[in-house]
Amino acid sequence: YLKGEPLYPFGHGLSYTRFDCPKLTLSPDRIATDGTVSVKVEVANTGSRPGAEVVQLYVGKKDGAADRPLRTLRGFQRVSLKAGESRSVEIPLAAEKLASWDESTHGWTVEPGDYSIEIGTSSVDIRQTTTLSITKAAR
């Protein structure tokens, strides 16, 4: 919910090397409210030493109401890489992890619409962003 800069953002840490996330893909990029998407990101150690990074997956509703968080952590994966090495990391994301509390039904609901999918190394160090579309589930 914070619109300012936190002093120590979630996921903040130090490393002896540098990491880059040059490519983010969704498969598929449109799912139903009961579906699952595979979030894949290429992680590269661009530094001169081996190191480990925690790749973090954040989501947010693009046209979200004021009572929704700006971004929510919905997955992560730790990856260790040698200097100059790169690897593809896959994080599954079920649509149910995009649910928000609905006062009218007193339950969790996945709203159809567009969601931002963000990959970063902390909550303020977002490296790649794309859009996931959620449609109503077929009955």
Side-chain angles (χ1 to χ4, degrees):
Y1 300 96
L2 178 67
K3 295 191 191 272
E5 276 294 314
L7 184 58
Y8 295 104
F10 184 79
H12 171 77
L14 300 175
S15 178
Y16 293 105
T17 191
R18 292 180 310 278
F19 292 91
D20 193 18
C21 303
K23 186 176 179 186
L24 170 63
T25 58
L26 301 180
S27 181
D29 62 359
R30 175 180 291 270
I31 59 172
T33 55
D34 59 353
T36 299
V37 63
S38 174
V39 180
K40 293 181 185 174
V41 61
E42 187 74 23
V43 182
N45 180 343
T46 59
S48 60
R49 297 177 179 216
E53 183 63 89
V54 177
V55 178
Q56 300 170 23
L57 169 64
Y58 293 92
V59 298
K61 184 94 166 62
K62 286 206 168 195
D63 57 351
D67 61 344
R68 289 188 65 131
L70 300 173
R71 95 177 19 106
T72 307
L73 179 69
R74 287 297 178 233
F76 62 90
Q77 187 166 336
R78 183 180 183 90
V79 60
S80 296
L81 298 171
K82 297 175 187 171
E85 183 181 14
S86 64
R87 184 176 309 147
S88 182
V89 173
E90 183 175 350
I91 304 172
L93 177 65
E96 67 188 21
K97 287 193 171 190
L98 306 174
S100 61
W101 185 257
D102 185 347
E103 281 294 321
S104 63
T105 63
H106 298 286
W108 293 96
T109 304
V110 178
E111 297 176 26
D114 289 338
Y115 290 78
S116 63
I117 304 297
E118 304 172 334
I119 291 292
T121 58
S122 80
S123 62
V124 297
D125 187 7
I126 302 302
R127 305 290 180 92
Q128 295 289 332
T129 303
T130 192
T131 300
L132 172 66
S133 295
I134 303 291
T135 60
K136 290 186 179 187
R139 301 228 168 187

